[in-house]
Amino acid sequence: MSQAQDTETVREDGVIESVSGPVVTAADLDARMNDVVYVGDEGLMGEVIEIEGNLTTIQVYEETSGVGPGEPVENTGEPLSVDLGPGMLDSIYDGVQRPLDVLEQKMGSAFLDRGVDAPGIDLEKTWEFSPEVSEGETVEPGDVVGTVPETVTIEHKVMVPPDYEGGEVVAIEEGSFSVEETVAELSSGEEITMHQEWPVRQARPAGDKKTPTDPLVTGQRIQDGLFPLAKGGTAAIPGPFGSGKTVTQQQLAKWSDADIVVYIGCGERGNEMTEVIEDFPELPDPQTGNPLMARTCLIANTSNMPVAARESCIYTGITIAEYYRDMGYDVALMADSTSRWAEAMREISSRLEEMPGEEGYPAYLAAALSEFYERAGLFELFNGGEGSISVVGAVSPPGGDFSEPVTQNTLRIVKTFWALDADLAEKRHFPSINWNESYSLYSQQLDPWYRENVAQDYPEIRQWAVDVLDEEAELQEIVQLVGKDALPEDQQLTLEVSRYIREAWLQQDAFNDTDTYCEPEKTYRMLQAIKTFNDEAFNALEAGVPVEEIGSVDAAPQLNRMGVAEEWNEFIDDLEDSLEEQIRELY
Amino acid sequence: MKEYQTITEISGPLVFAEVDEPIGYDEIVEIETPQGDTLRGQVLESSEGLVSIQVFEGTGGIDRNASVRFLGETMKMPVTEDLLGRVLDGSGNPIDGGPDIVPEEREDIVGAAINPYSREYPEEFIQTGVSAIDGMNTLVRGQKLPIFSGSGLPHNDLALQIARQATVPEEEESEEGGSEFAVIFGAMGITAEEANEFMDDFERTGALERSVVFMNLADDPAVERTVTPRMALTTAEYLAFEKGYHVLVILTDMTNYCEALREIGAAREEVPGRRGYPGYMYTDLAQLYERAGRIEGREGSVTQIPILTMPGDDDTHPIPDLTGYITEGQIMMDRDLNSQGIEPPINVSPSLSRLMDDGIGEGLTRGDHADVKDQLFAAYAEGKDLRDLVNIVGREALSETDNKYLDFADRFEEEFVQQGNDTNRTIDETLEIGWDLLSMLPKEQLNRIDEDLIEEHYREEEGETVEATAD
């Protein structure tokens, strides 16, 4: 979190009037809406959320036990902001961008103490700056003046801040600098450092939004194969507890081909975040082979950390994402879970005694959600480049009921919907994305990319799979009444084929070293192999071979082994040959 | 310390008093009634001149003249290693007739959150000796795994069985008694009879020596239930992270805890959330459940097994629902299995352990554990699906393989899940039973298991003998 240094804007201090959980009211405080204030003798960080007469209401980002009326409230005169600059990757923050590793050192304890602040980026550390422009050139806001190797994977671009005027570069130098030292001076008198601050509740400006045409390749068959997400697109993953939201999110964070991943653990489990912290430095990025952490920024505000910081962590995350987008990177942001964020809004709102909307959520819930998701997109940048933010939000509907307000308001905005299904999870069919309920509105606009980069007939074979699954859903209804054997033979065969689509193709084992990541080519070839089985089987059926004999050829169960096959190209080639051979032998 | 005789309003568990000095939020209050009783409470809201106080023991006996004292500190729990073997009431006072507690430290009962950066990821397998847990939904050290039960189901027996049998097999041999757990038992609103059941078992098995018991019984004040689990967890954290114990915390019954929260919320005239429970219940529950885990560089661990009874066996009710979103899985008790006499009646399908995947496998349990578990889940699900169908079309209409799945599902319940409350199965025994059952199915149906493992463990004869029963 940004520390206010601008002493002249500090306004008059107030005193606490009342305390109720995370909500504190103060009298005589001269503050603007959303100003950051320090509350009480311990200086707990808070934010102004309501002003009424002489009373100012503050949401406090830390525990308020023991804080009482009469204690001072100090205004910083600045809105809640994040520190932007090199050093954000490979970091783990709480909801107001305090680095958790620094907090551990400063507090000298494994438990989170109160009233300790720390800047979001290391202000002392020096970075190797190499200029990209030379003296005499003119730069405008958003232009890159130089680069810094931030991690092994990512080159950090030092930009003219969006609120600068710009002008001719009068001084710029290569060398080692801390983030607060000036690296370039402009004729306008403005000095550029590697450090920018930006208020989290305000979107960073960028050029026009464009229609995304590239998919965010996730390495997950059901997502890449059936319900793709575009780079710059939005997706929601709703599901009841235990349906695999977190594993799905983590899989996306691990394997998707974004340049930068911002992972927000909003009101979720502590151990889950620990898992990410322990795993990501070890795991290789499938694109570069470098550790995943080198492209990842983690924000962890677990469920037992203060509720107000849960409300702000989403904004902290998206602002960091926007900053990397401005550098021209493709950023993927995972928010797990947006329901906890909405609940934090509800909790604060009810303490303010605001008139509740649906199910107690504040009436501005829909507006807040759409404002957040609209910060995603493929943008034309001021410096002429392109950058994107893809947002994937997990939703945790109470009782798994998708008709509740958070799910419904989210669905009105996002274009990809991965519906998790408790029944599938109970059968340990993972990822438990329900193929009948889920959809992606990006399929059409991404088809050209798939045709060009994977296979010409990719959209057709995908449609074939969808048709078979649809037919299965209809047939299953009949089977439930009369049993499978009462169906005509061709329909029985369809069920057999769709079983392979489900078990061999849609199912994917996140804990198997090979199966956890599936490149689009493999996704395509696996489906093709099932199609081969389908075509051969129907030919045999027409020639009069009973369906049971077709289904029991030795090669058929091998379809289930495709996912875990390391040399998949050969494995699938061989398998297709033996399927052809064995089924043709039957007639 | 100032005394006030300024009570302006008494309503349900709440007392409102006027004050002329600033009082801190969450501060502890003592109220002396005219009869000379001292009641304790906590500041719920503090504003200039007026505070609202939640009284733990109930407001009976308080009148306008009762005197109110503010102690100037938040609620603390006196902790010491000597607490082991003691029985305390819901507010932490000894009720076993033993000596007073001489605290080594007094810890704030509202524990601070563990910095996620300082946590260590839990991955040490705990052998509970219960197949349905060890084999299918493995518990690891530092996990929070609740038991979702219903009224009248034997969840207490299961909790006791776990408390009795839980060990970490790896350490069993190396250290002397090093893998035994210290048990912290927090009872909230359970009946005296249930309490006796627990105490008898603790005494019978000698477990009491390594236990600390907190008892808030059904006729104790409801508001006290909101501090009991915090007392228990504060003690657990002290023993685990200061004294290096591996602590198992059993909290029962979380439903009563949530009822108490609702009662206070209603008395404060808060805007209610779903089914009248307060909107902050998720946060409140998280502050309890998240106090489990391991910390890097510290010896001990806190493992939590909260028990809750689902009203109407409905897992979408706010209490189990919010719990499930916070905890790392759940063990589901099932009424049908219970009436079939299955002991413990655990329905493995909706049960889940989120930390399982890192706690099992070569070197932890056994190399084939993950595959066997996946296959058992899939086969059991298939068998259960077929049960619905068989009711309509009859067994004859099903194929031979389908019949095998039906038999598999039955035997899975009768042999794998069923074991009795006194049987302690090692993980090897559990997995061998798993293989016995899987060998009923044709080899090619075992598509979740690595082919080498099938070669190693599949019992060829078994497949033959069972075929005969298919008709």
Side-chain angles (χ1 to χ4, degrees):
Chain A
M1 162 60 208
S2 224
Q3 277 171 317
Q5 277 117 12
D6 217 354
T7 39
E8 53 188 16
T9 54
V10 171
R11 303 176 181 202
E12 198 140 327
D13 297 348
V15 281
I16 297 179
E17 179 83 16
S18 75
V19 185
S20 163
V23 173
V24 166
T25 56
D28 305 327
L29 184 71
D30 186 10
R32 286 172 304 189
M33 273 297 268
N34 296 342
D35 272 357
V36 169
V37 295
Y38 291 106
V39 174
D41 298 330
E42 290 175 270
L44 311 179
M45 192 201 294
E47 182 181 0
V48 174
I49 51 170
E50 195 177 76
I51 299 173
E52 203 183 335
N54 187 33
L55 289 182
T56 307
T57 309
I58 298 154
Q59 62 175 354
V60 182
Y61 294 125
E62 299 178 73
E63 273 293 326
T64 52
S65 289
V67 176
E71 292 184 33
V73 178
E74 185 195 324
N75 187 11
T76 63
E78 295 198 343
L80 185 64
S81 308
V82 284
D83 291 309
L84 301 169
M88 290 193 293
L89 298 178
D90 202 3
S91 287
I92 169 162
Y93 295 121
D94 77 350
V96 286
Q97 213 209 0
R98 295 183 301 184
L100 288 170
D101 49 344
V102 178
L103 290 188
E104 186 192 53
Q105 272 174 18
K106 274 195 165 183
M107 294 170 181
S109 154
F111 292 91
L112 288 171
D113 206 351
R114 306 191 300 187
V116 180
D117 202 353
I121 50 177
D122 192 334
L123 300 178
E124 262 121 62
K125 183 171 177 180
T126 56
W127 301 88
E128 288 303 319
F129 176 79
S130 346
E132 291 273 294
V133 294
S134 36
E135 287 169 23
E137 280 183 57
T138 307
V139 291
E140 286 173 23
D143 282 349
V144 176
V145 297
T147 58
V148 165
E150 182 173 0
T151 65
V152 282
T153 317
I154 296 299
E155 184 116 297
H156 192 99
K157 295 174 183 162
V158 180
M159 297 169 291
V160 182
D163 48 358
Y164 273 28
E165 261 174 49
E168 198 179 305
V169 180
V170 294
I172 189 161
E173 210 180 325
E174 188 169 340
S176 251
F177 299 96
S178 77
V179 292
E180 297 208 295
E181 284 173 297
T182 305
V183 293
E185 279 174 44
L186 304 184
S187 58
S188 56
E190 287 165 322
E191 294 179 348
I192 295 170
T193 66
M194 296 183 223
H195 178 208
Q196 295 190 20
E197 278 181 33
W198 196 262
V200 295
R201 292 182 202 279
Q202 196 183 328
R204 280 175 69 88
D208 291 339
K209 264 197 194 187
K210 300 166 66 171
T211 306
T213 51
D214 287 357
L216 183 78
V217 176
T218 62
Q220 309 303 305
R221 285 190 288 274
I222 185 160
Q223 278 141 325
D224 290 343
L226 292 185
F227 312 111
L229 171 65
K231 280 199 176 101
T234 50
I237 315 181
F241 64 81
S243 58
K245 278 185 302 297
T246 302
V247 177
T248 309
Q249 287 269 37
Q250 287 187 0
Q251 285 293 92
L252 294 179
K254 282 177 192 167
W255 306 123
S256 64
D257 68 343
D259 299 317
I260 306 277
V261 171
V262 178
Y263 191 94
I264 309 172
C266 174
E268 290 287 311
R269 305 174 182 87
N271 281 332
E272 268 167 15
M273 291 317 295
T274 309
E275 186 186 10
V276 175
I277 299 167
E278 285 185 12
D279 280 359
F280 276 34
E282 312 278 312
L283 289 168
D285 174 349
Q287 270 72 47
T288 61
N290 296 327
L292 271 178
M293 253 339 254
R295 63 161 196 183
T296 309
C297 173
L298 292 175
I299 296 170
N301 206 84
T302 58
S303 53
N304 56 340
M305 283 156 80
V307 64
R310 198 184 306 160
E311 192 267 338
S312 67
C313 68
I314 293 280
Y315 295 104
T316 302
I318 191 98
T319 310
I320 292 174
E322 282 174 340
Y323 181 64
Y324 283 101
R325 171 208 65 194
D326 288 348
M327 296 180 202
Y329 288 118
D330 291 316
V331 185
L333 179 135
M334 325 285 159
D336 184 14
S337 138
T338 56
S339 292
R340 304 295 161 231
W341 169 51
E343 281 163 16
M345 279 193 261
R346 173 168 73 180
E347 201 172 319
I348 302 287
S349 157
S350 89
R351 299 229 189 221
L352 292 177
E353 294 174 4
E354 288 175 343
M355 184 70 81
E358 211 180 336
E359 289 197 21
Y361 287 103
Y364 46 81
L365 172 73
L369 280 169
S370 50
E371 211 178 297
F372 164 66
Y373 280 104
E374 270 306 287
R375 288 170 80 167
L378 172 66
F379 290 87
E380 212 163 282
L381 303 175
F382 290 141
N383 60 24
E386 264 182 20
S388 73
I389 300 179
S390 320
V391 172
V392 181
V395 183
S396 322
D401 172 13
F402 289 176
S403 68
E404 58 93 39
V406 182
T407 315
Q408 284 306 313
N409 284 313
T410 304
L411 284 186
R412 293 220 308 267
I413 313 158
V414 300
K415 289 180 76 178
T416 302
F417 175 51
W418 295 317
L420 298 182
D421 187 321
D423 286 340
L424 289 176
E426 260 190 37
K427 291 179 185 158
R428 300 307 193 261
H429 173 115
F430 288 116
S432 64
I433 297 173
N434 183 310
W435 48 90
N436 293 318
E437 277 181 55
S438 304
Y439 58 79
S440 165
L441 301 180
Y442 295 110
S443 297
Q444 299 250 315
Q445 71 205 59
L446 299 177
D447 278 351
W449 186 93
Y450 280 110
R451 281 189 203 281
E452 198 171 311
N453 293 282
V454 186
Q456 263 306 318
D457 62 342
Y458 194 92
E460 285 75 30
I461 198 167
R462 176 180 65 208
Q463 194 52 45
W464 168 77
V466 172
D467 291 344
V468 175
L469 290 167
D470 281 349
E471 196 179 344
E472 184 198 29
E474 276 170 37
L475 292 177
Q476 281 297 352
E477 284 174 24
I478 306 171
V479 169
Q480 287 304 321
L481 293 177
V482 297
K484 194 171 157 189
D485 289 350
L487 292 179
E489 292 228 302
D490 60 330
Q491 295 187 344
Q492 287 189 34
L493 190 55
T494 302
L495 287 180
E496 188 76 8
V497 172
S498 72
R499 193 167 63 88
Y500 283 119
I501 296 183
R502 280 189 286 116
E503 292 182 1
W505 193 60
L506 294 179
Q507 226 174 113
Q508 190 171 353
D509 187 354
F511 298 98
N512 180 291
D513 291 340
T514 310
D515 204 18
T516 183
Y517 175 75
C518 187
E519 50 267 68
E521 291 76 20
K522 186 178 174 187
T523 300
Y524 168 75
R525 284 289 288 135
M526 285 173 71
L527 192 56
Q528 225 181 14
I530 301 173
K531 180 103 185 332
T532 305
F533 170 72
N534 174 78
D535 296 348
E536 292 296 330
F538 272 98
N539 285 341
L541 191 70
E542 241 164 71
V545 185
V547 77
E548 209 147 297
E549 269 180 50
I550 303 173
S552 54
V553 296
D554 287 344
Q558 289 298 316
L559 286 167
N560 287 318
R561 308 272 172 200
M562 288 189 295
V564 296
E566 274 169 45
E567 305 292 330
W568 55 270
N569 239 325
E570 285 164 38
F571 183 91
I572 295 175
D573 285 345
D574 292 349
L575 178 57
E576 278 181 328
D577 289 345
S578 31
L579 279 170
E580 216 165 280
E581 193 185 316
Q582 291 176 9
I583 296 177
R584 285 184 189 180
E585 257 170 36
L586 299 172
Y587 59 97
Chain B
M1 194 187 310
K2 246 182 168 172
E3 270 196 49
Y4 294 90
Q5 283 189 317
T6 51
I7 292 177
T8 55
E9 188 186 333
I10 304 169
S11 141
L14 302 187
V15 168
F16 298 83
E18 285 175 356
V19 289
D20 58 4
E21 63 183 340
I23 303 296
Y25 174 70
D26 262 359
E27 217 171 85
I28 288 300
V29 186
E30 277 182 4
I31 299 176
E32 206 171 309
T33 64
Q35 293 82 21
D37 295 335
T38 306
L39 305 175
R40 292 208 297 167
Q42 193 174 15
V43 174
L44 272 192
E45 194 165 340
S46 168
S47 45
E48 201 77 61
L50 187 74
V51 291
S52 57
I53 301 157
Q54 146 191 341
V55 184
F56 299 134
E57 288 94 340
T59 46
I62 302 179
D63 66 4
R64 289 188 184 79
N65 300 321
S67 67
V68 181
R69 274 195 307 271
F70 296 94
L71 302 188
E73 60 167 25
T74 50
M75 192 117 179
K76 299 274 201 297
M77 170 78 202
V79 284
T80 154
E81 225 171 327
D82 297 337
L83 278 171
L84 288 169
R86 301 299 301 269
V87 183
L88 314 169
D89 69 6
S91 308
N93 306 309
I95 48 170
D96 53 1
D100 282 351
I101 288 157
V102 186
E104 269 171 60
E105 265 168 70
R106 300 179 71 245
E107 302 269 359
D108 208 321
I109 66 158
V110 186
I114 301 177
N115 188 334
Y117 184 80
S118 315
R119 278 181 187 266
E120 196 179 317
Y121 193 65
E123 44 197 6
E124 288 160 300
F125 164 66
I126 296 178
Q127 180 176 300
T128 64
V130 179
S131 294
I133 297 177
D134 292 352
M136 311 296 282
N137 299 287
T138 314
L139 177 68
V140 298
R141 212 134 76 170
Q143 186 173 12
K144 39 193 180 292
L145 188 67
I147 299 175
F148 282 16
S149 186
S151 313
L153 293 179
H155 41 263
N156 292 344
D157 295 334
L158 178 62
L160 279 170
Q161 188 174 7
I162 296 172
R164 218 165 39 225
Q165 299 178 349
T167 56
V168 176
E170 263 179 82
E171 290 176 10
E172 212 165 42
E173 297 120 36
S174 55
E175 286 169 60
E176 201 186 323
S179 69
E180 276 218 330
F181 285 85
V183 178
I184 308 275
F185 181 72
M188 291 157 282
I190 64 169
T191 60
E193 217 166 304
E194 279 178 293
N196 287 341
E197 208 181 298
F198 276 106
M199 291 311 297
D200 288 348
D201 198 85
F202 283 152
E203 272 163 33
R204 181 172 63 83
T205 59
L208 190 59
E209 276 171 49
R210 50 182 176 96
S211 308
V212 188
V213 178
F214 292 84
M215 282 284 179
N216 168 286
L217 297 184
D219 56 350
D220 285 338
V223 180
E224 193 185 73
R225 279 163 214 161
T226 60
V227 289
T228 309
R230 294 192 162 80
M231 296 263 168
L233 288 165
T234 307
T235 312
E237 278 176 349
Y238 174 78
L239 290 175
F241 302 130
E242 301 294 326
K243 297 291 168 192
Y245 285 86
H246 290 289
V247 185
L248 184 68
V249 184
I250 298 174
L251 299 171
T252 181
D253 176 333
M254 290 307 293
T255 306
N256 295 334
Y257 171 83
C258 295
E259 299 291 335
L261 275 189
R262 177 162 70 174
E263 187 181 330
I264 296 163
R268 293 178 65 188
E269 297 173 8
E270 290 169 347
V271 184
R274 239 179 8 127
R275 300 224 191 166
Y277 293 97
Y280 49 79
M281 194 157 87
Y282 179 83
T283 308
D284 193 279
L285 286 174
Q287 280 167 354
L288 300 180
Y289 296 141
E290 276 292 327
R291 293 172 80 174
R294 308 213 51 179
I295 291 179
E296 217 162 296
R298 310 272 178 104
E299 188 70 17
S301 64
V302 178
T303 308
Q304 266 191 47
I305 303 189
I307 300 172
L308 58 89
T309 46
M310 299 181 283
D313 292 351
D314 172 14
D315 67 356
T316 67
H317 184 281
I319 300 173
D321 191 51
L322 295 180
T323 300
Y325 275 122
I326 305 164
T327 54
E328 282 136 359
Q330 66 276 336
I331 300 295
M332 234 9 145
M333 304 287 266
D334 188 274
R335 207 167 285 281
D336 289 338
L337 289 178
N338 189 46
S339 59
Q340 282 171 41
I342 305 289
E343 206 173 73
I346 296 173
N347 186 353
V348 297
S349 306
S351 300
L352 170 73
S353 166
R354 291 168 191 273
L355 302 183
M356 172 170 197
D357 294 286
D358 289 300
I360 62 172
E362 198 68 58
L364 296 154
T365 54
R366 241 170 65 169
D368 58 335
H369 191 163
D371 284 3
V372 169
K373 167 209 63 157
D374 284 344
Q375 190 69 60
L376 286 170
F377 269 123
Y380 184 49
E382 177 107 33
K384 284 207 291 189
D385 272 354
L386 288 166
R387 278 182 191 165
D388 296 336
L389 187 56
V390 90
N391 286 337
I392 303 164
V393 298
R395 272 207 168 212
E396 302 73 39
L398 297 183
S399 68
E400 197 185 313
T401 317
D402 285 352
N403 270 302
K404 283 182 183 163
Y405 272 110
L406 276 171
D407 291 331
F408 171 87
D410 290 342
R411 281 188 58 193
F412 179 79
E413 288 167 4
E414 286 157 15
E415 292 172 33
F416 189 92
V417 181
Q418 157 69 26
Q419 67 176 86
N421 278 325
D422 293 314
T423 313
N424 190 354
R425 285 189 191 149
T426 66
I427 184 65
D428 267 323
E429 285 169 330
T430 294
L431 290 176
E432 287 309 315
I433 298 173
W435 277 109
D436 285 346
L437 298 176
L438 288 177
S439 301
M440 296 169 68
L441 303 170
K443 250 189 209 177
E444 62 275 10
Q445 290 286 325
L446 305 182
N447 55 21
R448 306 275 185 114
I449 305 183
D450 192 85
E451 277 160 333
D452 295 341
L453 291 171
I454 297 183
E455 286 314 309
E456 195 183 330
H457 296 277
Y458 189 80
R459 318 212 194 305
E460 296 292 344
E461 344 66 82
E462 194 92 16
E464 308 297 313
T465 49
V466 180
E467 222 154 279
T469 61
D471 295 270

